[in-house]
Amino acid sequence: ERLLKVFPSRVKTLADAKALVAKGQPAIANFLYNGRYGNAPDGNDGWLFRGGSYIQLTFKDNYLDCQKRTGLPLITNPELVEQAASSTIIAMDFWYNNDCGQLSMAIKGNDTSVLRERINGGYNSLEEVNDIFQKAMKYL
């Protein structure tokens, strides 16, 4: 059900979602992400360059751009997104290079939609993000 909700343009029916889930996580990522933004149409790029680091960096083109700016060898070592130190560098690089600081200043109340669109390219899970934002603001 989650695949249908988050990826309605790619996963059309519950039966399709169940078939993907039965194949495992790499198959899901490859189905959703292969052939897009630098990922090869076949192979394992969807899995290798799936959302990673604190910012959920996704797609080979984005990994390559980040690699060029930070010097982290993300194309040959995409698992670096799972390590705390490099994950922090990746997230801060994305934040800085996508003007997220400026956008964050424009958040009104609990509506993070402008920032969510910049980070996610759309509004996937916006309600959940708004809820998390609201909880985090209680501590700041």
Side-chain angles (χ1 to χ4, degrees), residues 36-116:
R36 302 168 63 201
Y37 304 102
N39 288 359
D42 297 313
N44 207 32
D45 280 359
W47 176 249
L48 292 174
F49 303 108
R50 66 193 182 279
S53 104
Y54 302 123
I55 202 81
Q56 292 299 291
L57 188 70
T58 308
F59 299 113
K60 190 174 185 177
D61 283 351
N62 291 330
Y63 276 60
L64 182 59
D65 288 345
C66 185
Q67 176 177 287
K68 288 175 184 175
R69 290 188 300 266
T70 65
L72 293 170
L74 297 174
I75 299 302
T76 55
N77 297 298
E79 68 280 356
L80 286 173
V81 299
E82 300 169 15
Q83 297 176 8
S86 53
S87 184
T88 302
I89 292 167
I90 291 163
M92 293 298 96
D93 172 74
F94 183 92
W95 189 267
Y96 176 79
N97 284 290
N98 287 277
D99 296 320
C100 293
Q102 188 68 28
L103 288 175
S104 70
M105 302 304 288
I107 292 174
K108 303 278 191 244
N110 189 37
D111 182 11
T112 64
S113 59
V114 173
L115 187 57
R116 182 65 177 158

